[in-house]
Amino acid sequence: MTRSRRRKLARIQAKTAGRYICKATPVASALLACMPSAYSQERTAENPGLEEIVVTAQKRAENLQDVPISIQALGTAKLEQLHVTNFDDYAMFLPSVEFISSGPGFEHVYMRGVSSSVLENHSGSLPTVGVYLDEQPVTTIDGILDIHIYDIARVEALEGPQGTLYGASSEAGTVRIITNKPDPTAFAAGYDLGANDVSHGGVGYSVEGFLNIPLTPIAAIRLVAWDEHKAGYIDDVPKTVTFPTSGIAFSDAPFVKKDANDVDTRGGRMALKVDINDSWTITPTVIGQVTTTGQGPFSYNPAAGDLDTWQWFNDSTRDSWMQSALTIEGKISNFDIVYSGGYLARNTHEFEDYTDYSLFYDQHSGAGAYFTDNAGKLINPAQYIKGNDHYTKISNELRVTSPKEDRFRFTAGVFLQRQVHDILQDYVIDNGGDPLATSLSVPGWPGSVWLTDEQRVDRDAAVFGEMAFDLTSQLTATAGIRHYTYDNTLYGFYGFGSGFAYGASEGNATCFPGSQPFRGAPCVDLDGKSEDSGNSPKLNLTYKFDPDHLIYATWSKGFRPGGVNRNGGGTLPPYLPDYLTNYELGWKTTWDHHRLRFNGAFFVEDWKNFQFSYLGANALTIIDNAGQARIKGVETDLEFAATEGLTLSGGFSLIDSKLTQEFCKGEDPSMCGQPGYEEYAPAGTQLPTTPKFKGDVTARYTFAMPGGYQGNLQASEVYVGPRWADLRLVARNALGEMPSYEITDFTASIEKGGLTTQLYLNNAFDNRGILSRYAECDIQECGQIAVYDLPVPPRTVGIKFSQRF
């Protein structure tokens, strides 16, 4: 059959089935490029079963029910029905996923309770969860990319160590965002227009659209664009503080504002697909996004009032990034060959109010006495931070995959990655235009009391392989291993000017002899390196009772690279890698003629030498290997086609994550266990961030209406149990336990002929759920007045109009 006849047949089949069907292709992943969603068939009265879900978790296209991994997948339709537009939205519906956040683009994600600290920054540990956009890793050191979710095929959450196929930053799991690909067989287009009103806040809107254009019989381009304004709901309210040492009063009047945390996100994606011949396809992609926030933070201060905070300086961010990627897929003999390469560039420009630190350190230790102008007069010591960070990530992977129908099959490949993070954090005292004395400032930086000007480079290389063998027609054994090396460096300048009282320990006074200026910094006082190599193994046994029921047992290990500690005099050694060993027993089952899908897993994970971050002298982050923890749990995922029109879906996780040996670090280990000793937690302490229970349920009812319209009614509820914000007893007790919360959403929609109108009500009961909690300075010194809560967005009512061509 010729290529043109195959395409004609594909278009006829697509029209008949009501979905896109791809031309025959030997490349496994091309199956997904042809589907508008993760589903393969529609439910009807004649076919009441659930739709099949295709995933690429094992780097080949497979039915979700055949993959012996704990996976949750949200397809295109589900993402749209749940009004998912960003990471926070879809993370709510992934029971084993938790996160902390300081605003859009600065979320840190955790899975299965593998979390030790809420202190995450540019010089800290690498993430424990990897994030992928299609084939390319987009995990960055200081928070994930908050990719706008539109025209997305699906979001996959792979729980447990994925180190064999996904590497170092997938110690606890992997999140994969799969975009819809260009389709040469048919034109398609769509747009979405939305508006919403936020309780206690303002009005938001969204404009989104996509266009799939066949250019030739073998090529197509897909264009996607979005423009979204999210209304603010945090108010900056009036307050005047007085610094006790100088008696200077400082008012936040210039920054008093309602709804100060609004967000604007604009971006686009362009993908080209070219079928070079029957065996080879090339897909270049470019995606870019710019997110700007208002003057205020996304957390509120309970001491100021509900959804209120005090703000003495601008607190805003501009986060812009662009990723270009190239995927080449082909076939040599019976083997699929895939090359994927990506280049990510990200720039963040931040302002952050630092007045809390200045005020409370003055109250606690009289620190305000150190801040004078050139005449020796005490000045307002309030600080703010100007941050300009630049990230680049280059990744390359080449792999070969044997036919999945073979009794013996494998995936093998090589991987190279280089991440560079140029860090510039400038702590400024401007005193209303009469800045800090020149002798106290960092040389060359007038008014700067502290400067961080560093370059962090993280290099990874690996060879990996995973092979499966059908011992019988029902029993399959799988083994995999990834041999990795890493080489991580941290170089540059950090600290005070030499005239400052604490300058002898960090900064200009500790410059390396003979060092030259580093970029804009006066010298080099930091040059650290951490390197190592090792293996991440995996063993799995899968038993299929029949095509609809299987169980599996997995033993796997994940790792996270070590790194460099910043500290005066270089007395602290680099922190070491940590390792996670996973024991898992899971099931994938389909029942009642494919009307019920019930999957889940029991797991026990041992976390060895886990990395823990805390503030040391001069509020400088220190990373130590804390010891051991054990995490036990169960996670489930269920979907039930109760009737032709009614679908019920949901899942839950039940996790018990605890230290199995005490944590005790800091300047005086002899104080371990003594009342009030800050860097201490006994064995049995629950790990932070993750609740013991998290679950969600969604009910959706579809029904016929007069005039050929289709109606839809939907209700969703998410429950998140109580969590602690810190590992250490002193800090966690001072911060308090974050309470449980429930979020309930309702949606009603009608559709006909590609036109859909939706009305939705998110957080219908305006629950003030707390996503994360933190203190702007040491909780023992600052007290409750400096505690901040980052809430779930308040009740939001909205309307959206969509059309598909």
Side-chain angles (χ1 to χ4, degrees):
M1 184 182 294
T2 66
R3 184 184 298 139
S4 60
R5 291 182 62 191
R6 279 198 299 274
R7 285 195 195 88
K8 183 177 180 180
L9 176 60
R11 286 193 293 270
I12 295 172
Q13 290 173 324
K15 183 177 181 180
T16 303
R19 60 185 176 90
Y20 301 129
I21 303 291
C22 186
K23 73 180 184 67
T25 175
V27 182
S29 62
L31 174 63
L32 299 171
C34 316
M35 294 185 176
S37 73
Y39 304 102
S40 66
Q41 60 180 354
E42 295 182 4
R43 266 176 55 207
T44 64
E46 295 76 21
N47 178 30
L50 293 168
E51 300 156 332
E52 181 181 291
I53 300 176
V54 177
V55 297
T56 53
Q58 298 188 120
K59 301 204 172 183
R60 64 167 83 227
E62 299 171 285
N63 184 340
L64 172 70
Q65 296 303 99
D66 294 331
V67 181
I69 298 174
S70 184
I71 309 173
Q72 292 166 319
L74 304 175
T76 301
K78 191 77 169 180
L79 293 168
E80 292 176 352
Q81 292 163 9
L82 296 173
H83 316 295
V84 170
T85 62
N86 58 21
F87 169 80
D88 295 15
D89 294 339
Y90 66 74
M92 295 285 286
F93 293 93
L94 300 174
S96 291
V97 174
E98 277 297 327
F99 65 96
I100 60 173
S101 174
S102 58
F106 294 93
E107 293 91 350
H108 296 269
V109 57
Y110 309 97
M111 298 179 84
R112 285 187 172 177
V114 181
S115 169
S116 62
S117 174
V118 297
L119 182 60
E120 310 278 5
N121 72 4
H122 46 71
S123 299
S125 301
L126 285 165
T128 59
V129 174
V131 180
Y132 275 68
L133 177 61
D134 291 324
E135 293 284 345
Q136 289 75 30
V138 292
T139 315
T140 62
I141 296 164
D142 194 21
I144 69 169
L145 292 183
D146 195 6
I147 299 168
H148 185 77
I149 303 299
Y150 182 73
D151 193 44
I152 297 298
R154 67 192 177 282
V155 174
E156 298 176 2
L158 286 58
E159 286 93 358
Q162 305 298 323
T164 302
L165 293 180
Y166 293 97
S169 288
S170 292
E171 179 181 33
T174 301
V175 175
R176 305 182 69 231
I177 302 168
I178 311 299
T179 62
N180 286 318
K181 305 301 188 300
D183 177 12
T185 67
F187 171 85
Y191 64 89
D192 296 75
L193 305 174
N196 57 72
D197 182 79
V198 181
S199 295
H200 320 284
V203 175
Y205 68 83
S206 61
V207 180
E208 305 159 309
F210 74 90
L211 192 61
N212 185 92
I213 307 172
L215 301 175
T216 72
I218 63 169
I221 190 170
R222 195 174 190 97
L223 305 173
V224 187
W226 54 89
D227 183 349
E228 180 185 45
H229 174 75
K230 287 193 172 182
Y233 45 84
I234 304 292
D235 296 340
D236 292 340
V237 298
K239 186 177 179 65
T240 298
V241 296
T242 301
F243 291 94
T245 299
S246 63
I248 294 174
F250 188 34
S251 171
D252 68 350
F255 294 95
V256 170
K257 183 181 180 182
K258 287 186 62 64
D259 312 330
N261 65 318
D262 55 315
V263 186
D264 288 289
T265 302
R266 297 179 177 87
R269 185 173 76 243
M270 178 175 67
L272 173 68
K273 180 183 177 185
V274 180
D275 297 325
I276 299 173
N277 55 36
D278 283 353
S279 298
W280 290 89
T281 297
I282 181 171
T283 309
T285 304
V286 177
I287 178 173
Q289 182 173 289
V290 178
T291 300
T292 56
T293 69
Q295 72 172 37
F298 288 80
S299 53
Y300 71 97
N301 188 328
D306 181 41
L307 299 180
D308 291 338
T309 192
W310 299 306
Q311 196 71 32
W312 286 271
F313 290 106
N314 187 17
D315 205 316
S316 63
T317 300
R318 185 180 190 275
D319 181 9
S320 61
W321 56 267
M322 178 172 288
Q323 188 219 38
S324 55
L326 176 66
T327 302
I328 301 173
E329 304 165 295
K331 197 173 186 70
I332 297 177
S333 184
N334 288 325
F335 299 100
D336 290 341
I337 310 296
V338 176
Y339 164 78
S340 63
Y343 175 77
L344 171 67
R346 182 183 187 188
N347 293 281
T348 61
H349 303 278
E350 311 160 59
F351 287 89
E352 182 179 351
D353 185 9
Y354 211 56
T355 301
D356 280 338
Y357 279 89
S358 306
L359 175 64
F360 290 108
Y361 280 117
D362 192 22
Q363 293 175 333
H364 177 74
S365 59
Y370 298 116
F371 301 100
T372 63
D373 60 16
N374 282 323
K377 179 183 177 182
L378 290 177
I379 63 173
N380 181 350
Q383 302 176 38
Y384 66 89
I385 305 171
K386 291 193 299 185
N388 290 283
D389 287 18
H390 177 64
Y391 309 76
T392 59
K393 179 194 287 282
I394 300 173
S395 63
N396 292 277
E397 181 174 291
L398 177 66
R399 67 179 185 268
V400 57
T401 304
S402 65
K404 64 180 180 181
E405 298 81 11
D406 291 354
R407 185 178 183 186
F408 173 79
R409 51 201 176 273
F410 67 87
T411 297
V414 295
F415 175 80
L416 293 172
Q417 179 177 260
R418 186 175 188 268
Q419 305 178 75
V420 179
H421 184 181
D422 293 311
I423 306 160
L424 182 60
Q425 300 280 310
D426 183 13
Y427 293 66
V428 178
I429 296 177
D430 66 9
N431 189 37
D434 184 14
L436 185 69
T438 303
S439 61
L440 301 177
S441 302
V442 175
W445 295 78
S448 296
V449 65
W450 176 284
L451 178 68
T452 298
D453 192 352
E454 301 168 353
Q455 184 177 80
R456 174 173 177 165
V457 182
D458 293 76
R459 307 168 185 85
D460 303 271
V463 294
F464 62 90
E466 194 166 286
M467 51 189 174
F469 181 68
D470 296 330
L471 300 172
T472 70
S473 60
Q474 295 175 293
L475 182 63
T476 299
T478 302
I481 193 166
R482 187 184 190 96
H483 177 73
Y484 62 83
T485 63
Y486 69 84
D487 181 345
N488 300 336
T489 58
L490 190 59
Y491 180 84
F493 176 87
Y494 73 103
F496 304 102
S498 57
F500 195 74
Y502 299 118
S505 58
E506 285 104 4
N508 197 61
T510 61
C511 292
F512 295 153
S515 68
Q516 299 298 312
F518 175 71
R519 296 190 296 211
C523 66
V524 173
D525 64 351
L526 172 65
D527 186 2
K529 182 175 184 177
S530 176
E531 57 183 340
D532 201 356
S533 63
N535 300 294
S536 293
K538 173 184 176 181
L539 295 174
N540 172 276
L541 279 176
T542 302
Y543 186 80
K544 285 194 110 176
F545 297 93
D546 55 51
D548 293 334
H549 305 85
L550 69 80
I551 59 172
Y552 67 87
T554 298
W555 171 81
S556 57
K557 294 187 72 174
F559 88 102
R560 177 168 51 163
V564 177
N565 262 309
R566 296 186 304 165
N567 61 293
T571 56
L572 287 179
Y575 54 92
L576 302 176
D578 57 21
Y579 301 92
L580 186 71
T581 302
N582 174 58
Y583 308 89
E584 183 173 329
L585 180 64
W587 65 92
K588 297 285 183 76
T589 62
T590 307
W591 306 85
D592 194 17
H593 305 287
H594 290 201
R595 292 178 58 202
L596 174 65
R597 182 164 49 233
F598 178 47
N599 301 335
F602 295 97
F603 56 87
V604 176
E605 297 183 332
D606 289 322
W607 199 10
K608 181 180 180 182
N609 292 331
F610 66 83
Q611 297 163 15
F612 179 75
S613 302
Y614 62 92
L615 293 180
N618 299 329
L620 194 64
T621 301
I622 295 174
I623 302 99
D624 267 320
N625 293 92
Q628 317 293 329
R630 170 162 285 190
I631 302 155
K632 298 181 289 185
V634 58
E635 56 202 10
T636 66
D637 183 23
L638 182 145
E639 189 167 10
F640 178 43
T643 68
E644 178 187 346
L646 178 62
T647 301
L648 305 175
S649 61
F652 72 84
S653 65
L654 185 62
I655 295 174
D656 181 31
S657 54
K658 293 179 179 178
L659 288 178
T660 54
Q661 70 180 58
E662 73 171 9
F663 163 73
C664 185
K665 297 290 182 182
E667 297 177 0
D668 188 2
S670 67
M671 292 291 292
C672 282
Q674 297 299 312
Y677 186 63
E678 185 179 3
E679 313 303 342
Y680 175 73
T685 301
Q686 181 182 344
L687 298 183
T689 306
T690 301
K692 291 186 176 181
F693 182 85
K694 178 184 177 183
D696 68 273
V697 61
T698 299
R700 184 173 180 84
Y701 183 62
T702 299
F703 54 95
M705 298 177 65
Y709 288 91
Q710 176 180 290
N712 304 283
L713 296 174
Q714 179 177 286
S716 299
E717 180 150 333
V718 174
Y719 173 84
V720 178
R723 296 133 292 138
W724 293 101
D726 204 296
L727 176 69
R728 304 162 298 170
L729 292 190
V730 171
R732 71 162 50 195
N733 291 334
L735 287 169
E737 187 178 41
M738 292 182 285
S740 63
Y741 64 88
E742 299 177 30
I743 301 298
T744 306
D745 300 340
F746 297 106
T747 301
S749 66
I750 57 172
E751 55 185 274
K752 180 181 179 180
L755 296 171
T756 303
T757 300
Q758 290 185 49
L759 289 173
Y760 62 88
L761 183 63
N762 290 345
N763 194 3
F765 304 110
D766 201 22
N767 192 309
R768 197 71 69 240
I770 299 173
L771 297 174
S772 57
R773 174 178 288 171
Y774 61 94
E776 277 288 2
C777 61
D778 191 297
I779 184 64
Q780 294 185 94
E781 299 175 9
C782 295
Q784 291 295 323
I785 199 170
V787 172
Y788 293 82
D789 287 339
L790 193 144
V792 174
R795 178 173 50 238
T796 302
V797 58
I799 185 170
K800 177 173 277 192
F801 179 78
S802 308
Q803 187 171 15
R804 300 291 182 264
F805 302 95

